[in-house]
């Protein structure tokens, strides 16, 4: 009997181990494949070309800067929209809204978070883009700004949902303590509640922004798809193109093994590195905070 | 008791929570200035509820019925017209579990000063000094406040209240989580502080009540059973229930 139990234990442990290792192996394989297909770029295209500001693959111009720039502008734009609105809404729901409002809004927000991106892109093309063109008097409504707005809007529900949980988890005693020394509700939220929920709120922002960076469909549909290096604030209101959109749009029609093909994988590598960096930074921040908390609790 | 010396006057105070609990039933009580008034009794007696009325922290809770009158000097505490923020600066509160705010030691003190618009660098040291904490923290003011021990945290909470120089300090079982030495330090600070402040203390044990009370009020199930100077109430209680409780016959 004892033996049986041990055998059962062992099988389960093994299975869990295999599951764990396979996750690592898959990531490793993806990375290997990316490197294998992407690294030849460095031989085939000279470096000057790669960091130039012209993306025109048909004539062998492979400057990826405009794509990097496009991603950057749209992501920053989306973040600037998603963070204040997301956290503002989270604070409203957790601290200010009457209970019944909160009980209606919270599930609604969570439904919004699951909206498929194609649907948003579609709405963006048909409603938002014409609207922006008309009221901002632009030559086209399909601009980086349109993309930012939609991506920001997409990220908001994620930010709200995670941040609201974090704020709600702050013990009531913190608020009492702050109010008891004569702080207003607003001072308490700003100086005590939000800082106490810092690590959860950071996670919320990372998840929201992460969603914005990885998003392809919406961006491809509404940002105008022009690989132009953004210069200055005006670039926000011109068409742009992101790295993800470029890969999605061009991968289908490129000859396997061609230079263009390798460059697309190279872009994939760059994307991979960027998201890796962001993730590492985020987990570093969260990890340090957790370490501090553990030290405190022990 | 000398009428001129009253700091807080409570008349016919009734408080019911929305779940039907009648937590304070017709309480009348005068709290003298420059003394420690102890409010004690078994759990659920309404001690915390009373304290939270005195600085209107109950505004945030589901209270369905609040009647009677509370005066702080001439200020009508319960009037809707009363400036709650200003009131809370006059009536500070220290809670059962030390709640240090998620900031550095120094910021825990300066936070209250900042929001009150007070610029006075001396108050940081003074308040920590009065709470008997200065010597222990003067070299680590920028450390996160949560790195202090429980007893130090509680004294920091006291210092945070003292920095605002309130007139009344409410303490709700301030030593319930502390070891005897830290408890002793807090009690010592309170004895020193009563010269300048009006102190209302909910003690965490009858012994502490007896040790600290200038005046003592015994609460039982929302009623004020007996109120007398400490030396009388603990040696010669008039009510049988007070006597039973003081002698430890029920908990
Ligand atoms: N927010 C609230 N909502 C509903 N009922 C409450 C609330 N706070 C306290 N009560 C009830 O009011 C009564 C008095 O509670 P209170 O906390 O004032 O007692 P206490 O004397 O401080 O007790 P303890 O010694 O346990 O701290 C209790 O029956 C309690 O359940
Ligand atoms: Mg209590």
């Amino acid at each position: 009997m004892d033996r049986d139990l041990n055998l059962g234990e062992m099988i389960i442990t093994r299975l869990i181990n295999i599951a764990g290792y396979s996750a690592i192996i898959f990531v490793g394989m993806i990375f290997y494949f990316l490197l294998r297909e992407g690294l030849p770029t460095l031989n085939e295209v000279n470096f000057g070309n790669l960091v130039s500001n012209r993306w025109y693959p048909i004539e062998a111009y492979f400057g990826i800067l405009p794509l990097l720039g496009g991603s950057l502008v749209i992501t920053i734009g989306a973040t600037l929209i998603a963070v204040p609105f997301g956290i503002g809404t989270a604070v409203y729901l957790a601290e200010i809204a009457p209970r019944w409002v909160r009980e209606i809004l919270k599930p609604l927000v969570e439904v919004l978070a699951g909206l498929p991106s194609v649907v948003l892109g579609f709405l963006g093309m048909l409603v938002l883009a014409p609207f922006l063109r008309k009221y901002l008097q632009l030559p086209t409504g399909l601009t980086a700004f349109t993309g930012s707005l939609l991506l920001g809007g997409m990220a908001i529900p994620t930010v709200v949902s995670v941040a609201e949980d974090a704020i709600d988890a702050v013990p009531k005693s913190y608020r009492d303590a702050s109010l008891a020394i004569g702080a207003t509700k607003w001072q308490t939220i700003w100086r005590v509640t939000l800082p106490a929920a810092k690590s959860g709120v950071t996670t919320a922002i990372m998840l929201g922004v992460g969603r914005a960076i990885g998003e392809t469909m919406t961006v491809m549909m509404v940002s105008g798809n022009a690989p132009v290096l953004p210069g200055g604030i005006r670039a926000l209101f011109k068409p742009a193109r992101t790295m993800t959109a470029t890969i999605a749009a061009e991968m289908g029609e490129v000859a396997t093994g061609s230079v263009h093909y390798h460059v697309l994988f190279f872009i994939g590598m760059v994307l991979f590195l960027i998201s890796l960096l962001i993730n590492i930074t985020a987990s570093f921040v969260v990890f340090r905070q957790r370490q501090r908390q553990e030290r405190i609790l022990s | 008791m000398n009428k001129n010396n009253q700091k807080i006057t409570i008349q016919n105070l009734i408080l019911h929570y929305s779940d039907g609990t009648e937590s304070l039933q017709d309480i009348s009580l005068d709290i003298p200035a420059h003394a420690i008034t102890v409010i004690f009794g078994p759990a659920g007696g309404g001690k915390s509820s009373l304290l939270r009325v005195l600085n209107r922290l109950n505004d945030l809770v589901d209270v369905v019925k609040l009647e009677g009158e509370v005066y702080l000097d001439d200020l009508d505490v319960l009037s809707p017209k009363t400036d709650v923020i200003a009131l809370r600066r006059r009536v500070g509160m220290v809670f059962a579990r030390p709640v240090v705010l998620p900031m550095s030691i120094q910021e825990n003190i300066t936070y209250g000063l900042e929001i009150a618009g007070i610029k006075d660098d001396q108050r940081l040291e003074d308040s920590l000094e009065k709470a008997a904490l200065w010597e222990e923290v003067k070299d680590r003011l920028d450390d996160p406040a949560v790195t202090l021990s429980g007893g130090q945290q509680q004294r920091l909470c006291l210092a945070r209240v003292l920095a605002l120089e309130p007139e009344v300090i409410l303490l709700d079982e301030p030593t319930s989580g502390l070891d005897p030495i830290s408890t002793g330090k807090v009690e010592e600070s309170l004895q020193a502080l009563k010269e300048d402040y009006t102190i209302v203390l909910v003690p965490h044990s009858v012994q502490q009540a007896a040790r600290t009370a200038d005046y003592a009020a015994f609460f039982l199930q929302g009623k004020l059973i007996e109120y007398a100077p400490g030396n009388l109430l603990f040696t010669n209680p008039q009510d049988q229930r007070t006597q039973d409780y003081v002698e430890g016959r029920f908990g």
Side-chain angles (χ1 to χ4, degrees):
Chain A
M1 214 214 107
D2 215 38
R3 267 190 99 82
D4 277 2
L5 212 99
N6 278 339
L7 193 72
E9 278 288 293
M10 206 179 76
I11 291 173
I12 291 173
T13 317
R14 278 283 154 79
L15 279 177
I16 293 174
N17 273 342
I18 290 172
Y21 285 130
S22 66
I24 298 175
I25 291 170
F26 286 140
V27 173
M29 273 164 60
I30 291 172
F31 193 56
Y32 165 77
F33 192 70
L34 264 181
L35 285 182
R36 200 188 68 183
E37 303 293 327
L39 276 184
T41 305
L42 294 176
N43 278 331
E44 293 162 1
V45 184
N46 72 45
F47 192 69
N49 187 353
L50 214 52
V51 296
S52 74
N53 55 16
R54 186 138 181 234
W55 176 262
Y56 198 59
I58 296 173
E59 291 180 11
Y61 288 107
F62 293 115
I64 62 170
L65 285 190
L67 311 177
L68 251 172
S71 283
L72 205 71
V73 166
I74 291 180
T75 309
I76 291 179
T79 311
L80 288 183
I81 293 163
V83 170
F85 281 96
I87 293 183
T89 311
V91 166
Y92 171 74
L93 282 183
E95 299 287 304
I96 299 166
R99 199 173 302 164
W100 65 271
V101 171
R102 184 173 162 206
E103 265 155 28
I104 296 172
L105 282 185
K106 187 87 200 285
L108 258 173
V109 165
E110 263 144 32
V111 169
L112 274 183
L115 214 63
S117 54
V118 178
V119 175
L120 271 171
F122 193 64
L123 284 177
M125 268 170 93
L126 291 186
V127 182
L128 188 62
F131 176 85
L132 288 178
R133 193 188 51 158
K134 192 157 162 225
Y135 287 96
L136 297 178
Q137 307 202 318
L138 300 170
T140 167
L142 302 174
T143 64
F145 182 64
T146 323
S148 290
L149 267 183
L150 274 180
L151 280 195
M154 268 176 72
I156 287 175
T158 315
V159 177
V160 172
S161 172
V162 180
E164 201 267 348
D165 285 339
I167 295 171
D168 197 46
V170 173
K172 183 172 168 300
S173 55
Y174 279 30
R175 301 181 183 104
D176 278 356
S178 174
L179 293 170
I181 50 176
T184 61
K185 191 164 190 172
W186 172 241
Q187 286 165 332
T188 302
I189 291 172
W190 188 243
R191 299 284 305 268
V192 175
T193 317
L194 269 182
K198 196 165 56 187
S199 79
V201 172
T202 317
T203 311
I205 295 174
M206 288 334 284
L207 283 175
V209 173
R211 183 162 187 207
I213 295 176
E215 175 52 41
T216 313
M217 215 46 182
T218 316
V219 167
M220 206 157 85
M221 288 166 81
V222 301
S223 312
N225 277 324
V228 194
L229 187 66
I233 185 78
R234 312 219 46 185
L236 206 51
F237 299 100
K238 290 183 182 153
R241 187 199 258 186
T242 62
M243 297 189 283
T244 47
T246 306
I247 298 177
E250 297 180 7
M251 194 52 97
E253 46 206 51
V254 77
T256 312
S258 67
V259 179
H260 187 183
Y261 174 87
H262 286 150
V263 177
L264 288 183
F265 270 96
F266 186 76
I267 296 174
M269 267 169 55
V270 174
L271 255 176
F272 189 89
L273 277 181
I274 292 176
S275 51
L276 200 70
L277 253 153
I278 291 177
N279 273 320
I280 290 175
T281 323
S283 51
F284 186 69
V285 172
V286 174
F287 178 71
R288 262 198 12 201
Q289 278 170 2
R290 187 153 316 143
Q291 251 188 345
R292 230 180 73 181
Q293 276 159 8
E294 265 158 23
R295 206 175 62 220
I296 291 153
L297 291 176
S298 60
Chain B
M1 267 169 269
N2 174 5
K3 256 292 175 211
N4 299 327
N5 205 20
Q6 301 313 327
K7 187 67 183 174
I8 299 174
T9 315
I10 301 168
Q11 277 163 10
N12 306 103
L13 183 67
I14 299 175
L15 184 147
H16 296 181
Y17 288 110
S18 59
D19 61 358
T21 320
E22 302 181 359
S23 169
L24 294 173
Q25 300 163 28
D26 201 13
I27 305 296
S28 296
L29 183 69
D30 291 335
I31 296 173
H34 306 301
I36 300 181
T37 302
V38 154
I39 307 222
F40 75 110
K47 304 169 303 252
S48 303
S49 303
L50 178 66
L51 252 52
R52 294 170 67 90
V53 168
L54 299 184
N55 73 346
R56 293 268 303 263
L57 263 190
N58 260 337
D59 287 8
L60 308 164
V61 179
D62 293 335
V63 172
V64 282
K65 184 168 174 190
L66 183 59
E67 283 170 10
E69 282 172 2
V70 177
Y71 281 92
L72 170 68
D73 293 332
D74 294 327
L75 178 73
D76 182 355
V77 170
L78 300 182
S79 157
K81 278 183 253 149
T82 298
D83 177 356
V84 183
I85 305 293
L87 170 73
R88 289 183 187 148
R89 283 186 192 138
R90 292 176 64 187
V91 183
M93 179 144 180
V94 177
F95 300 86
R97 300 196 44 208
V99 190
V100 296
L101 299 173
M103 335 169 166
S104 74
I105 295 171
Q106 172 164 354
E107 283 164 343
N108 257 276
I109 309 274
T110 52
Y111 170 66
L113 294 175
E114 248 171 61
I115 55 183
I118 299 168
K119 290 206 173 57
D120 180 358
D121 293 340
Q122 195 53 36
R123 287 212 192 177
L124 172 68
E125 183 177 341
D126 286 352
S127 60
L128 286 168
E129 198 76 79
K130 281 189 215 156
L133 188 61
W134 175 250
E135 284 305 318
E136 287 159 67
V137 300
K138 65 179 180 204
D139 299 321
R140 46 184 296 207
L141 289 172
D142 290 324
D143 286 6
V146 276
T147 58
L148 294 171
S149 77
Q152 290 172 327
Q153 288 188 19
Q154 192 57 297
R155 277 175 281 147
L156 181 63
C157 293
L158 181 58
R160 182 172 69 202
V161 170
L162 293 175
L164 288 166
E165 301 187 348
E167 298 158 29
V168 180
I169 306 175
L170 312 171
L171 302 111
D172 193 350
E173 306 185 25
T175 54
S176 61
L178 305 187
D179 62 280
I181 297 184
S182 308
T183 302
K185 283 193 181 166
V186 172
E187 284 178 15
E188 254 169 56
S189 329
L190 292 183
Q191 291 301 339
L193 288 169
K194 76 178 182 197
E195 302 298 320
D196 301 320
Y197 302 88
T198 301
I199 294 176
V200 184
L201 170 71
V202 175
H204 81 263
S205 66
V206 179
Q207 290 80 356
Q208 185 175 44
R211 273 199 305 271
T212 48
D214 293 316
Y215 297 92
F218 177 59
F219 274 67
L220 183 64
Q221 291 169 358
K223 295 198 197 78
L224 174 60
I225 305 295
E226 190 167 350
Y227 181 41
N231 48 8
L232 287 181
L233 191 136
F234 288 103
T235 52
N236 186 17
Q238 298 301 306
D239 193 289
Q240 186 59 38
R241 290 165 291 182
T242 316
Q243 181 161 11
D244 288 349
Y245 186 71
V246 168
E247 289 172 3
R249 251 173 271 157
F250 72 96

